[in-house]
Structure formats: C-alpha cells, structure tokens
Amino acid sequence: MHVKGATPAVGPAWKSEQAFKNRSSKAIAALRQHIVSVPLVAEIDKMVRLYRGSQWAQGAPILTATYPATYHVVALQGQPLQGAHLVAFQQCGNSLARHVLARLKLDGMPRRVSGLDVANQNTVWANISLSNSVGIAQSTPTALKTYLEQVNSERNTPHPQNDVLVKFLQVLQGGPKEIATKAMDELASPRQDWRNADGTGSPAPPG
C-alpha cells in the first residue's frame, strides 16, 4: 500500500508524491469518461468535491491513517482512524481514486454478500460509542448522527431509519448526561438540518 507520512515531502519525495496524486487524478478522469450512469458520475464528482473542500462531516474520504487536523470532531483530530473510516483506509489507502472506485463498486455493482461481510458490519454497528466513534465535544450529537448515517449507508442491508434513531439514543444514553440532555433538546426543537422533509419537527413556537 502506498502510504505517506505526515511530514511534508521535499525534493524527489515531493515529486514522487505529486506523481502519485497525478496518477490518481487521471484514474478518476478515466472513470468519469467511461461510466455512462449519470448518478455514478455525480457520485464521483461529489466525492472529489467533498475531499478537496475537506468536508469531513459530509463524508469526504480520509486519505491518512489518522483524523485530519481539520476534522469536525475536535476530540478525534490527530487520532487513529476508527470504525468505517479505518476499514476504508485499510482497503483503499491514501489514493482518492481507490476510494472513488470502492464507492462505485458499492453503489453500482451487484455483489455477493457473505456471512463474514454481514458479521463485520454488525460488529462495527454494535461497537459504535461516543468515546470510540465521535468523541465528546459540543458537536457530539450532530457528529454521531452523521457517523451513524454513514455507517448505515455502507451496510449491504441498511437499518430502517427508526432503528438508526433508536441506536442514536442508545449511544447517547451511554455517554455523559449533558450530551444526552442536549440531544433530547434538539429532538424537541430541531435545527433546520434535522427537520423531516414533510415539515415535521419544526421548532416549537416561542413563549
């Protein structure tokens, strides 16, 4: 696996790293050129856009063995990858093209599902916790919501949305009381990005 350390490359090492990135970009361009499915091309563009914008909370692929210094969960910045992030890095390394190809295989190609696949996915799901998955910070409820949705979307058979909500509450109940209280307040009067498409969950009227 072609993995670089965190130290900035100089001289020949820098040229090697740039060549590696150029090969990755060319591979992604070739994928776009040969894929006729509009949704899959859109998925490629979305992954590249999220990565270039360091939009980790929206699912940008992480190409290092540790969480970036700009990661949205402060407690995890600089820490070793965990859960689905670790699995993705072990499979795809620091190549954006490999991450894109893995996502395309997941979204656009039929796969045989083995008992081991399901068991691994169930283990990742069962082991989600505040301390191991998102850390304890002011943004913990939002980070947990994003993480659960990401892990669930990568399952062969995703859990129903109600089960995801139950898991969200279970994980919060296992953490500090202040975090659970903040999350319950959000459920009672959610921000715009937590509201349902049908308009339910709108903030309670003042007074």
Side-chain angles (χ1 to χ4, degrees), residues 48-66:
V48 173
R49 183 178 68 255
L50 292 179
Y51 172 72
R52 290 176 176 172
S54 300
Q55 298 180 48
W56 317 115
Q58 284 70 47
I62 299 176
L63 310 188
T64 55
T66 58

Side-chain angles (χ1 to χ4, degrees), residues 62 64-67 71 76 79-92 99 120-135 147-148 150-152 154-155:
I62 299 176
T64 55
T66 58
Y67 286 99
Y71 194 64
L76 292 180
Q79 298 300 311
L81 298 183
Q82 303 169 359
H85 293 138
L86 176 59
V87 172
F89 182 77
Q90 289 172 333
Q91 293 175 344
C92 305
H99 283 267
N120 287 340
Q121 292 167 4
N122 289 340
T123 298
V124 170
W125 185 257
N127 288 337
I128 293 176
S129 67
L130 294 184
S131 57
N132 293 333
S133 304
V134 296
Y147 185 72
L148 285 172
Q150 176 186 344
V151 172
N152 193 47
E154 294 170 354
R155 293 177 58 87

Side-chain angles (χ1 to χ4, degrees), residues 94-122:
N94 63 343
S95 168
L96 181 58
R98 291 179 195 161
H99 283 267
V100 168
L101 182 58
R103 177 60 62 86
L104 294 181
K105 287 181 178 179
L106 182 67
D107 291 349
M109 300 181 184
R111 297 186 302 160
R112 271 185 197 172
V113 181
S114 69
L116 183 58
D117 286 336
V118 175
N120 287 340
Q121 292 167 4
N122 289 340

Side-chain angles (χ1 to χ4, degrees), residues 8-20:
V10 294
W14 180 86
K15 292 181 180 179
S16 176
E17 182 174 334
Q18 285 301 115
F20 178 76

